[in-house]
Amino acid sequence: MKQNTFFLMAGLIGLIEVGIFWLSVLLKESMLITIAFVVGILVIYIARRTISDKRDDERSALITQKAGARTLEVFWILFFAVSLGSLVMGFATPLGIQPPPKPFPRAPPDEPHIGYFGLLQMILLCCMAFLYIGFRIYYARKYGEWDDDEE
Amino acid sequence: MKNKIKVFRAMHDLTQEALAQEMGVARQTILAIEKGKYDPSLDLAFKIARRFGVSVDEMFTCWEQ
């Protein structure tokens, strides 16, 4: 598969995922988009292996590896901090930690604001993507990605 | 790490692109190695040295030396 065909296919899968997300909101079926997303990413990963005109070498692998490691190094702090804040919101009741409600375990709460936690996570993941791009640019510059040719 | 790739390329009348294709890497990688911005793996260093018929010692030297 050519690299451009792969990008077209990835874009198409992205559009399908948006459609499925909309459908799962309409059907109130969260498992639909969860499964569809995992399947979509798997298809993209498998298709990426079949690209024939990809020029990845050890230097680009090093850039990807370093950018990924540095992103995780920074991101876990951000993610942990926000999660701790959310935990405080969960536990901050006048009497401290409440006893488990009866009957236990109870059914998932039907409260739409819980879903907004997903929105917060999406924002964090977007931050992670921007962070990764930033580190990638930094390491690409460091390892001479855009250096001028002297020939 | 310093290297003499550019000198050997000139002696063999070889472009960066041609050498990169022979080594199976991108042209930018050869450029980055020549400029000392990227240290190649042992495998690539041996391949480059072998291509020009010299030893790795002859092709690459540490900055301290």
Side-chain angles (χ1 to χ4, degrees):
Chain A
M1 180 191 287
K2 296 272 181 194
Q3 197 158 23
N4 286 344
T5 316
F6 169 75
F7 287 138
L8 270 174
M9 198 194 85
L12 198 68
I13 288 174
L15 281 176
I16 293 169
E17 294 289 348
V18 171
I20 294 174
F21 178 74
W22 179 62
L23 189 69
S24 59
V25 171
L26 280 182
L27 299 175
K28 292 184 178 176
E29 186 56 69
S30 60
M31 281 308 282
L32 188 62
I33 184 62
T34 307
I35 292 167
F37 185 75
V38 173
V39 170
I41 293 296
L42 280 177
V43 170
I44 286 175
Y45 279 179
I46 291 165
R48 199 171 61 169
R49 288 180 173 209
T50 64
I51 297 174
S52 54
D53 56 343
K54 192 166 66 171
R55 285 292 292 270
D56 268 357
D57 62 6
E58 56 178 53
R59 191 182 54 92
S60 59
L62 182 75
I63 292 169
T64 306
Q65 184 190 341
K66 286 216 169 198
R70 193 52 64 90
T71 304
L72 273 181
E73 203 177 349
V74 173
F75 184 72
W76 85 267
I77 302 170
L78 185 68
F79 196 76
F80 201 94
V82 172
S83 300
L84 277 178
S86 307
L87 268 181
V88 169
M89 278 192 273
F91 288 136
T93 55
L95 296 173
I97 300 170
Q98 288 183 334
K102 292 175 183 175
F104 188 82
R106 61 178 178 162
D110 189 21
E111 294 165 339
H113 68 269
I114 288 174
Y116 291 128
F117 187 69
L119 189 67
L120 177 69
Q121 282 186 324
M122 290 296 283
I123 291 167
L124 281 174
L125 282 173
C126 286
C127 288
M128 187 184 177
F130 281 114
L131 203 63
Y132 177 74
I133 291 166
F135 279 127
R136 239 198 113 84
I137 291 170
Y138 169 75
Y139 283 112
R141 273 177 68 98
K142 188 177 174 184
Y143 294 116
E145 183 72 36
W146 297 291
D147 277 359
D148 287 334
D149 194 356
E150 290 170 1
E151 285 186 323
Chain B
M1 199 156 58
K2 282 191 291 186
N3 63 77
K4 296 177 188 160
I5 297 177
K6 198 169 184 175
V7 177
F8 279 100
R9 265 198 319 104
M11 282 164 60
H12 287 78
D13 196 23
L14 202 64
T15 62
Q16 285 175 344
E17 183 66 49
L19 180 61
Q21 271 189 353
E22 277 186 42
M23 299 296 117
V25 296
R27 187 184 60 81
Q28 284 301 116
T29 302
I30 299 295
L31 180 63
I33 296 170
E34 282 184 3
K35 287 193 160 191
K37 285 194 164 185
Y38 172 67
D39 293 335
S41 64
L42 269 177
D43 185 46
L44 182 57
F46 272 104
K47 271 168 84 177
I48 291 171
R50 209 173 291 145
R51 166 64 181 80
F52 293 111
V54 293
S55 65
V56 179
D57 271 4
E58 215 172 324
M59 182 66 79
F60 299 95
T61 44
C62 274
W63 288 112
E64 293 91 41
Q65 288 174 2

Short mmCIF file of all heavy atoms in Angstrom, two decimals, chain B:
data_model
loop_
_atom_site.label_atom_id
_atom_site.label_comp_id
_atom_site.label_asym_id
_atom_site.label_seq_id
_atom_site.Cartn_x
_atom_site.Cartn_y
_atom_site.Cartn_z
N MET B 1 30.55 12.91 17.69
CA MET B 1 31.53 12.08 17.00
C MET B 1 31.89 12.69 15.64
O MET B 1 31.00 13.04 14.87
CB MET B 1 30.95 10.67 16.79
CG MET B 1 31.97 9.64 16.52
SD MET B 1 31.42 7.97 16.95
CE MET B 1 29.95 7.77 15.97
N LYS B 2 33.18 12.83 15.39
CA LYS B 2 33.64 13.36 14.10
C LYS B 2 33.69 12.22 13.08
O LYS B 2 33.85 11.07 13.46
CB LYS B 2 35.03 13.96 14.24
CG LYS B 2 35.05 15.34 14.89
CD LYS B 2 36.40 16.00 14.76
CE LYS B 2 37.44 15.29 15.61
NZ LYS B 2 38.75 15.98 15.63
N ASN B 3 33.56 12.57 11.83
CA ASN B 3 33.68 11.53 10.81
C ASN B 3 34.20 12.10 9.50
O ASN B 3 34.21 13.32 9.31
CB ASN B 3 32.34 10.84 10.61
CG ASN B 3 31.29 11.77 10.09
OD1 ASN B 3 31.28 12.10 8.91
ND2 ASN B 3 30.41 12.25 10.97
N LYS B 4 34.61 11.20 8.64
CA LYS B 4 35.18 11.63 7.35
C LYS B 4 34.30 11.20 6.18
O LYS B 4 34.80 10.99 5.07
CB LYS B 4 36.58 11.02 7.20
CG LYS B 4 37.57 11.52 8.23
CD LYS B 4 38.90 10.79 8.03
CE LYS B 4 39.85 11.13 9.16
NZ LYS B 4 40.93 10.13 9.28
N ILE B 5 33.02 11.06 6.44
CA ILE B 5 32.12 10.58 5.38
C ILE B 5 32.15 11.52 4.18
O ILE B 5 32.22 11.09 3.03
CB ILE B 5 30.67 10.43 5.91
CG1 ILE B 5 30.62 9.39 7.02
CG2 ILE B 5 29.73 10.03 4.80
CD1 ILE B 5 29.26 9.22 7.65
N LYS B 6 32.12 12.80 4.48
CA LYS B 6 32.07 13.78 3.39
C LYS B 6 33.32 13.68 2.50
O LYS B 6 33.22 13.73 1.27
CB LYS B 6 31.96 15.19 3.99
CG LYS B 6 31.49 16.22 3.01
CD LYS B 6 31.15 17.50 3.72
CE LYS B 6 30.58 18.49 2.74
NZ LYS B 6 30.13 19.68 3.40
N VAL B 7 34.46 13.50 3.15
CA VAL B 7 35.72 13.38 2.40
C VAL B 7 35.69 12.13 1.52
O VAL B 7 35.97 12.19 0.32
CB VAL B 7 36.91 13.29 3.39
CG1 VAL B 7 38.22 13.09 2.65
CG2 VAL B 7 36.96 14.54 4.26
N PHE B 8 35.28 11.01 2.12
CA PHE B 8 35.25 9.76 1.37
C PHE B 8 34.20 9.80 0.26
O PHE B 8 34.40 9.24 -0.81
CB PHE B 8 35.01 8.58 2.31
CG PHE B 8 36.25 8.12 3.00
CD1 PHE B 8 36.53 8.50 4.31
CD2 PHE B 8 37.17 7.32 2.33
CE1 PHE B 8 37.69 8.09 4.94
CE2 PHE B 8 38.33 6.89 2.97
CZ PHE B 8 38.60 7.29 4.28
N ARG B 9 33.11 10.50 0.53
CA ARG B 9 32.07 10.63 -0.51
C ARG B 9 32.63 11.39 -1.70
O ARG B 9 32.41 11.03 -2.86
CB ARG B 9 30.86 11.38 0.06
CG ARG B 9 29.77 10.51 0.57
CD ARG B 9 28.44 11.21 0.73
NE ARG B 9 28.47 12.55 1.28
CZ ARG B 9 28.32 13.65 0.57
NH1 ARG B 9 28.09 13.58 -0.72
NH2 ARG B 9 28.34 14.83 1.16
N ALA B 10 33.35 12.46 -1.39
CA ALA B 10 33.94 13.28 -2.46
C ALA B 10 34.97 12.45 -3.25
O ALA B 10 35.01 12.52 -4.48
CB ALA B 10 34.60 14.51 -1.86
N MET B 11 35.74 11.65 -2.51
CA MET B 11 36.76 10.83 -3.19
C MET B 11 36.11 9.80 -4.12
O MET B 11 36.65 9.47 -5.17
CB MET B 11 37.61 10.11 -2.14
CG MET B 11 38.67 11.01 -1.50
SD MET B 11 39.33 10.32 0.02
CE MET B 11 40.04 8.80 -0.53
N HIS B 12 34.97 9.29 -3.69
CA HIS B 12 34.28 8.27 -4.50
C HIS B 12 33.22 8.86 -5.40
O HIS B 12 32.46 8.13 -6.04
CB HIS B 12 33.66 7.21 -3.58
CG HIS B 12 34.65 6.30 -2.95
ND1 HIS B 12 35.43 6.68 -1.87
CD2 HIS B 12 35.04 5.04 -3.25
CE1 HIS B 12 36.22 5.67 -1.53
NE2 HIS B 12 36.01 4.68 -2.35
N ASP B 13 33.13 10.19 -5.42
CA ASP B 13 32.15 10.91 -6.24
C ASP B 13 30.72 10.37 -6.01
O ASP B 13 30.03 9.97 -6.93
CB ASP B 13 32.53 10.78 -7.72
CG ASP B 13 31.79 11.81 -8.57
OD1 ASP B 13 31.37 12.84 -8.01
OD2 ASP B 13 31.62 11.58 -9.78
N LEU B 14 30.36 10.37 -4.75
CA LEU B 14 29.06 9.80 -4.35
C LEU B 14 28.20 10.89 -3.70
O LEU B 14 28.71 11.65 -2.86
CB LEU B 14 29.33 8.67 -3.35
CG LEU B 14 28.28 7.60 -3.15
CD1 LEU B 14 28.08 6.79 -4.41
CD2 LEU B 14 28.71 6.67 -2.01
N THR B 15 26.95 10.97 -4.08
CA THR B 15 26.07 11.97 -3.46
C THR B 15 25.51 11.41 -2.15
O THR B 15 25.54 10.20 -1.92
CB THR B 15 24.88 12.32 -4.38
OG1 THR B 15 24.12 11.14 -4.58
CG2 THR B 15 25.35 12.89 -5.70
N GLN B 16 24.97 12.33 -1.34
CA GLN B 16 24.35 11.90 -0.08
C GLN B 16 23.18 10.95 -0.37
O GLN B 16 22.99 9.96 0.31
CB GLN B 16 23.84 13.12 0.69
CG GLN B 16 24.93 13.92 1.35
CD GLN B 16 24.42 15.18 1.99
OE1 GLN B 16 23.30 15.62 1.70
NE2 GLN B 16 25.23 15.79 2.85
N GLU B 17 22.39 11.31 -1.39
CA GLU B 17 21.22 10.51 -1.74
C GLU B 17 21.63 9.09 -2.13
O GLU B 17 21.02 8.11 -1.68
CB GLU B 17 20.47 11.19 -2.89
CG GLU B 17 19.18 10.51 -3.31
CD GLU B 17 18.09 10.56 -2.24
OE1 GLU B 17 17.84 11.66 -1.71
OE2 GLU B 17 17.52 9.50 -1.93
N ALA B 18 22.68 8.99 -2.95
CA ALA B 18 23.14 7.67 -3.41
C ALA B 18 23.64 6.83 -2.24
O ALA B 18 23.31 5.65 -2.13
CB ALA B 18 24.23 7.84 -4.45
N LEU B 19 24.42 7.47 -1.36
CA LEU B 19 24.94 6.73 -0.20
C LEU B 19 23.78 6.31 0.72
O LEU B 19 23.76 5.17 1.22
CB LEU B 19 25.93 7.62 0.57
CG LEU B 19 26.55 6.99 1.82
CD1 LEU B 19 27.36 5.75 1.47
CD2 LEU B 19 27.44 7.99 2.56
N ALA B 20 22.83 7.23 0.89
CA ALA B 20 21.68 6.92 1.75
C ALA B 20 20.91 5.73 1.21
O ALA B 20 20.50 4.84 1.97
CB ALA B 20 20.78 8.14 1.85
N GLN B 21 20.72 5.69 -0.10
CA GLN B 21 19.99 4.57 -0.71
C GLN B 21 20.74 3.26 -0.52
O GLN B 21 20.14 2.23 -0.22
CB GLN B 21 19.76 4.84 -2.19
CG GLN B 21 18.47 5.61 -2.42
CD GLN B 21 18.10 5.70 -3.88
OE1 GLN B 21 18.86 5.30 -4.75
NE2 GLN B 21 16.94 6.27 -4.16
N GLU B 22 22.04 3.32 -0.67
CA GLU B 22 22.86 2.10 -0.48
C GLU B 22 22.78 1.61 0.97
O GLU B 22 22.77 0.42 1.22
CB GLU B 22 24.32 2.38 -0.84
CG GLU B 22 24.61 2.29 -2.32
CD GLU B 22 26.10 2.44 -2.60
OE1 GLU B 22 26.91 1.86 -1.85
OE2 GLU B 22 26.43 3.17 -3.56
N MET B 23 22.75 2.56 1.89
CA MET B 23 22.74 2.19 3.31
C MET B 23 21.33 1.90 3.83
O MET B 23 21.16 1.45 4.96
CB MET B 23 23.34 3.33 4.16
CG MET B 23 24.78 3.67 3.84
SD MET B 23 25.87 2.29 4.21
CE MET B 23 26.51 1.92 2.60
N GLY B 24 20.33 2.23 3.02
CA GLY B 24 18.94 1.99 3.44
C GLY B 24 18.45 2.97 4.48
O GLY B 24 17.65 2.63 5.36
N VAL B 25 18.95 4.20 4.40
CA VAL B 25 18.49 5.25 5.33
C VAL B 25 18.06 6.48 4.52
O VAL B 25 18.25 6.53 3.31
CB VAL B 25 19.59 5.66 6.35
CG1 VAL B 25 19.96 4.51 7.25
CG2 VAL B 25 20.84 6.18 5.63
N ALA B 26 17.54 7.49 5.22
CA ALA B 26 17.13 8.72 4.54
C ALA B 26 18.36 9.61 4.30
O ALA B 26 19.35 9.51 5.02
CB ALA B 26 16.12 9.46 5.40
N ARG B 27 18.26 10.46 3.29
CA ARG B 27 19.38 11.36 2.97
C ARG B 27 19.68 12.27 4.16
O ARG B 27 20.84 12.60 4.45
CB ARG B 27 19.04 12.20 1.74
CG ARG B 27 20.20 13.04 1.23
CD ARG B 27 19.75 13.90 0.07
NE ARG B 27 18.68 14.81 0.46
CZ ARG B 27 18.88 15.96 1.09
NH1 ARG B 27 20.09 16.35 1.40
NH2 ARG B 27 17.86 16.74 1.42
N GLN B 28 18.61 12.68 4.86
CA GLN B 28 18.79 13.56 6.02
C GLN B 28 19.64 12.90 7.11
O GLN B 28 20.33 13.58 7.85
CB GLN B 28 17.42 13.95 6.61
CG GLN B 28 16.66 14.99 5.82
CD GLN B 28 17.43 16.29 5.67
OE1 GLN B 28 17.78 16.68 4.57
NE2 GLN B 28 17.69 16.96 6.77
N THR B 29 19.57 11.58 7.17
CA THR B 29 20.37 10.85 8.16
C THR B 29 21.86 10.96 7.84
O THR B 29 22.68 11.22 8.73
CB THR B 29 19.93 9.37 8.22
OG1 THR B 29 18.55 9.33 8.54
CG2 THR B 29 20.71 8.59 9.25
N ILE B 30 22.18 10.80 6.57
CA ILE B 30 23.59 10.95 6.15
C ILE B 30 24.06 12.37 6.43
O ILE B 30 25.16 12.59 6.97
CB ILE B 30 23.76 10.60 4.65
CG1 ILE B 30 23.34 9.16 4.37
CG2 ILE B 30 25.19 10.86 4.19
CD1 ILE B 30 24.20 8.09 5.02
N LEU B 31 23.20 13.34 6.11
CA LEU B 31 23.53 14.76 6.34
C LEU B 31 23.76 15.02 7.83
O LEU B 31 24.73 15.69 8.23
CB LEU B 31 22.40 15.63 5.81
CG LEU B 31 22.53 17.15 5.95
CD1 LEU B 31 23.73 17.65 5.16
CD2 LEU B 31 21.28 17.84 5.46
N ALA B 32 22.86 14.46 8.67
CA ALA B 32 22.98 14.67 10.13
C ALA B 32 24.24 14.02 10.68
O ALA B 32 24.89 14.58 11.57
CB ALA B 32 21.75 14.10 10.82
N ILE B 33 24.61 12.85 10.13
CA ILE B 33 25.85 12.18 10.58
C ILE B 33 27.06 13.03 10.18
O ILE B 33 27.97 13.26 10.98
CB ILE B 33 25.96 10.76 9.99
CG1 ILE B 33 24.83 9.87 10.50
CG2 ILE B 33 27.31 10.13 10.36
CD1 ILE B 33 24.71 8.53 9.80
N GLU B 34 27.05 13.48 8.94
CA GLU B 34 28.19 14.29 8.46
C GLU B 34 28.38 15.54 9.31
O GLU B 34 29.50 15.96 9.57
CB GLU B 34 27.95 14.71 7.00
CG GLU B 34 28.24 13.60 6.01
CD GLU B 34 28.08 14.04 4.57
OE1 GLU B 34 27.81 15.24 4.32
OE2 GLU B 34 28.25 13.20 3.68
N LYS B 35 27.27 16.14 9.72
CA LYS B 35 27.35 17.37 10.51
C LYS B 35 27.61 17.10 11.99
O LYS B 35 27.71 18.04 12.78
CB LYS B 35 26.06 18.17 10.35
CG LYS B 35 25.93 18.84 9.00
CD LYS B 35 24.81 19.86 9.03
CE LYS B 35 24.98 20.85 7.89
NZ LYS B 35 24.08 21.98 8.02
N GLY B 36 27.64 15.83 12.37
CA GLY B 36 27.89 15.49 13.76
C GLY B 36 26.69 15.67 14.66
O GLY B 36 26.81 15.69 15.88
N LYS B 37 25.51 15.80 14.05
CA LYS B 37 24.30 15.97 14.86
C LYS B 37 23.71 14.64 15.30
O LYS B 37 22.88 14.58 16.19
CB LYS B 37 23.25 16.76 14.07
CG LYS B 37 23.56 18.23 13.97
CD LYS B 37 22.35 18.99 13.49
CE LYS B 37 22.52 20.47 13.76
NZ LYS B 37 21.33 21.24 13.42
N TYR B 38 24.06 13.60 14.61
CA TYR B 38 23.52 12.28 14.94
C TYR B 38 24.64 11.25 14.87
O TYR B 38 25.38 11.21 13.87
CB TYR B 38 22.40 11.92 13.97
CG TYR B 38 21.91 10.51 14.10
CD1 TYR B 38 21.24 10.10 15.25
CD2 TYR B 38 22.15 9.57 13.11
CE1 TYR B 38 20.83 8.79 15.40
CE2 TYR B 38 21.73 8.27 13.24
CZ TYR B 38 21.07 7.89 14.39
OH TYR B 38 20.66 6.58 14.53
N ASP B 39 24.74 10.44 15.92
CA ASP B 39 25.73 9.36 15.93
C ASP B 39 25.07 8.08 15.42
O ASP B 39 24.07 7.64 16.01
CB ASP B 39 26.25 9.12 17.36
CG ASP B 39 27.05 10.30 17.87
OD1 ASP B 39 27.60 11.04 17.02
OD2 ASP B 39 27.13 10.50 19.09
N PRO B 40 25.60 7.51 14.36
CA PRO B 40 24.95 6.31 13.81
C PRO B 40 25.07 5.11 14.73
O PRO B 40 25.95 5.08 15.60
CB PRO B 40 25.72 6.08 12.50
CG PRO B 40 27.05 6.67 12.74
CD PRO B 40 26.83 7.85 13.64
N SER B 41 24.22 4.13 14.50
CA SER B 41 24.33 2.87 15.26
C SER B 41 25.60 2.16 14.80
O SER B 41 26.17 2.48 13.75
CB SER B 41 23.11 2.00 14.98
OG SER B 41 23.10 1.63 13.61
N LEU B 42 26.03 1.19 15.59
CA LEU B 42 27.23 0.43 15.23
C LEU B 42 27.07 -0.23 13.87
O LEU B 42 27.97 -0.23 13.04
CB LEU B 42 27.50 -0.65 16.29
CG LEU B 42 28.40 -0.24 17.45
CD1 LEU B 42 28.50 -1.40 18.44
CD2 LEU B 42 29.79 0.12 16.95
N ASP B 43 25.86 -0.75 13.66
CA ASP B 43 25.56 -1.45 12.41
C ASP B 43 25.76 -0.52 11.21
O ASP B 43 26.46 -0.86 10.24
CB ASP B 43 24.11 -1.95 12.48
CG ASP B 43 23.75 -2.79 11.27
OD1 ASP B 43 24.56 -3.66 10.92
OD2 ASP B 43 22.68 -2.56 10.69
N LEU B 44 25.18 0.68 11.32
CA LEU B 44 25.28 1.64 10.21
C LEU B 44 26.72 2.13 10.06
O LEU B 44 27.21 2.30 8.93
CB LEU B 44 24.32 2.81 10.45
CG LEU B 44 24.26 3.88 9.37
CD1 LEU B 44 23.89 3.29 8.01
CD2 LEU B 44 23.25 4.97 9.73
N ALA B 45 27.40 2.35 11.18
CA ALA B 45 28.79 2.81 11.13
C ALA B 45 29.66 1.79 10.39
O ALA B 45 30.47 2.16 9.54
CB ALA B 45 29.30 3.04 12.54
N PHE B 46 29.46 0.52 10.70
CA PHE B 46 30.24 -0.52 10.02
C PHE B 46 29.90 -0.58 8.54
O PHE B 46 30.79 -0.75 7.70
CB PHE B 46 29.97 -1.89 10.68
CG PHE B 46 30.90 -2.18 11.82
CD1 PHE B 46 30.47 -2.07 13.13
CD2 PHE B 46 32.22 -2.57 11.59
CE1 PHE B 46 31.32 -2.33 14.20
CE2 PHE B 46 33.07 -2.84 12.66
CZ PHE B 46 32.63 -2.71 13.96
N LYS B 47 28.62 -0.42 8.23
CA LYS B 47 28.19 -0.48 6.82
C LYS B 47 28.83 0.65 6.02
O LYS B 47 29.31 0.45 4.90
CB LYS B 47 26.66 -0.39 6.72
CG LYS B 47 25.98 -1.75 6.81
CD LYS B 47 24.50 -1.62 7.00
CE LYS B 47 23.74 -1.43 5.72
NZ LYS B 47 22.29 -1.37 5.95
N ILE B 48 28.84 1.84 6.62
CA ILE B 48 29.41 3.01 5.92
C ILE B 48 30.92 2.81 5.72
O ILE B 48 31.45 3.01 4.63
CB ILE B 48 29.12 4.31 6.72
CG1 ILE B 48 27.63 4.63 6.67
CG2 ILE B 48 29.90 5.47 6.13
CD1 ILE B 48 27.20 5.76 7.59
N ALA B 49 31.59 2.38 6.79
CA ALA B 49 33.04 2.18 6.70
C ALA B 49 33.37 1.12 5.66
O ALA B 49 34.27 1.29 4.84
CB ALA B 49 33.58 1.78 8.06
N ARG B 50 32.59 0.04 5.67
CA ARG B 50 32.83 -1.05 4.73
C ARG B 50 32.60 -0.60 3.29
O ARG B 50 33.30 -1.01 2.38
CB ARG B 50 31.89 -2.21 5.09
CG ARG B 50 32.47 -3.57 4.72
CD ARG B 50 31.58 -4.69 5.25
NE ARG B 50 31.60 -4.78 6.70
CZ ARG B 50 30.55 -5.13 7.44
NH1 ARG B 50 29.40 -5.38 6.87
NH2 ARG B 50 30.67 -5.21 8.74
N ARG B 51 31.61 0.28 3.12
CA ARG B 51 31.30 0.77 1.77
C ARG B 51 32.51 1.48 1.14
O ARG B 51 32.75 1.38 -0.07
CB ARG B 51 30.10 1.74 1.85
CG ARG B 51 29.85 2.60 0.61
CD ARG B 51 29.47 1.73 -0.59
NE ARG B 51 29.23 2.50 -1.80
CZ ARG B 51 30.19 2.97 -2.60
NH1 ARG B 51 31.47 2.79 -2.29
NH2 ARG B 51 29.87 3.62 -3.70
N PHE B 52 33.27 2.19 1.99
CA PHE B 52 34.42 2.92 1.46
C PHE B 52 35.73 2.15 1.65
O PHE B 52 36.81 2.68 1.40
CB PHE B 52 34.51 4.30 2.14
CG PHE B 52 33.36 5.20 1.79
CD1 PHE B 52 32.41 5.55 2.73
CD2 PHE B 52 33.21 5.68 0.50
CE1 PHE B 52 31.33 6.36 2.41
CE2 PHE B 52 32.14 6.50 0.17
CZ PHE B 52 31.20 6.83 1.12
N GLY B 53 35.62 0.94 2.14
CA GLY B 53 36.80 0.09 2.27
C GLY B 53 37.79 0.52 3.35
O GLY B 53 38.99 0.33 3.21
N VAL B 54 37.27 1.14 4.39
CA VAL B 54 38.14 1.55 5.50
C VAL B 54 37.60 0.97 6.81
O VAL B 54 36.49 0.43 6.84
CB VAL B 54 38.23 3.10 5.63
CG1 VAL B 54 38.95 3.69 4.43
CG2 VAL B 54 36.85 3.71 5.81
N SER B 55 38.37 1.12 7.88
CA SER B 55 37.90 0.62 9.17
C SER B 55 37.03 1.69 9.84
O SER B 55 37.06 2.87 9.46
CB SER B 55 39.08 0.29 10.08
OG SER B 55 39.78 1.48 10.37
N VAL B 56 36.25 1.27 10.82
CA VAL B 56 35.39 2.21 11.55
C VAL B 56 36.24 3.27 12.24
O VAL B 56 35.88 4.46 12.26
CB VAL B 56 34.51 1.46 12.58
CG1 VAL B 56 33.63 2.43 13.36
CG2 VAL B 56 33.65 0.43 11.91
N ASP B 57 37.39 2.84 12.76
CA ASP B 57 38.31 3.78 13.41
C ASP B 57 38.74 4.90 12.48
O ASP B 57 38.89 6.05 12.88
CB ASP B 57 39.57 3.03 13.87
CG ASP B 57 39.40 2.48 15.27
OD1 ASP B 57 38.29 2.64 15.79
OD2 ASP B 57 40.35 1.89 15.79
N GLU B 58 38.95 4.51 11.25
CA GLU B 58 39.42 5.48 10.26
C GLU B 58 38.31 6.45 9.86
O GLU B 58 38.55 7.62 9.59
CB GLU B 58 39.90 4.71 9.03
CG GLU B 58 41.08 5.35 8.34
CD GLU B 58 41.64 4.45 7.24
OE1 GLU B 58 41.62 3.21 7.44
OE2 GLU B 58 42.04 4.97 6.21
N MET B 59 37.10 5.93 9.87
CA MET B 59 35.96 6.76 9.43
C MET B 59 35.42 7.64 10.56
O MET B 59 35.05 8.78 10.33
CB MET B 59 34.86 5.82 8.91
CG MET B 59 33.63 6.51 8.36
SD MET B 59 33.95 7.45 6.87
CE MET B 59 33.98 6.19 5.64
N PHE B 60 35.36 7.09 11.75
CA PHE B 60 34.77 7.83 12.88
C PHE B 60 35.80 8.03 14.01
O PHE B 60 36.53 7.10 14.33
CB PHE B 60 33.57 7.08 13.46
CG PHE B 60 32.46 6.90 12.48
CD1 PHE B 60 32.35 5.73 11.73
CD2 PHE B 60 31.51 7.88 12.28
CE1 PHE B 60 31.33 5.55 10.82
CE2 PHE B 60 30.48 7.71 11.37
CZ PHE B 60 30.39 6.54 10.65
N THR B 61 35.80 9.21 14.58
CA THR B 61 36.65 9.46 15.75
C THR B 61 35.84 10.23 16.79
O THR B 61 34.98 11.04 16.44
CB THR B 61 37.89 10.30 15.40
OG1 THR B 61 37.48 11.36 14.54
CG2 THR B 61 38.98 9.48 14.77
N CYS B 62 36.15 9.98 18.06
CA CYS B 62 35.45 10.69 19.13
C CYS B 62 35.95 12.14 19.19
O CYS B 62 37.07 12.43 18.80
CB CYS B 62 35.71 10.00 20.46
SG CYS B 62 34.56 8.68 20.76
N TRP B 63 35.10 13.03 19.70
CA TRP B 63 35.48 14.44 19.81
C TRP B 63 36.72 14.61 20.68
O TRP B 63 37.56 15.46 20.45
CB TRP B 63 34.34 15.26 20.41
CG TRP B 63 33.20 15.46 19.46
CD1 TRP B 63 31.96 14.92 19.59
CD2 TRP B 63 33.19 16.22 18.25
NE1 TRP B 63 31.16 15.31 18.53
CE2 TRP B 63 31.88 16.11 17.69
CE3 TRP B 63 34.13 16.98 17.58
CZ2 TRP B 63 31.52 16.73 16.51
CZ3 TRP B 63 33.76 17.60 16.39
CH2 TRP B 63 32.48 17.48 15.87
N GLU B 64 36.83 13.74 21.74
CA GLU B 64 37.94 13.91 22.69
C GLU B 64 39.29 13.58 22.06
O GLU B 64 40.31 14.07 22.47
CB GLU B 64 37.75 13.00 23.92
CG GLU B 64 36.59 13.39 24.79
CD GLU B 64 35.32 12.67 24.39
OE1 GLU B 64 35.38 11.48 24.08
OE2 GLU B 64 34.26 13.32 24.37
N GLN B 65 39.25 12.67 21.06
CA GLN B 65 40.53 12.22 20.51
C GLN B 65 41.17 13.35 19.69
O GLN B 65 41.30 13.40 18.60
CB GLN B 65 40.33 10.96 19.66
CG GLN B 65 40.04 9.75 20.55
CD GLN B 65 39.68 8.51 19.75
OE1 GLN B 65 39.67 8.52 18.53
NE2 GLN B 65 39.36 7.44 20.46
#
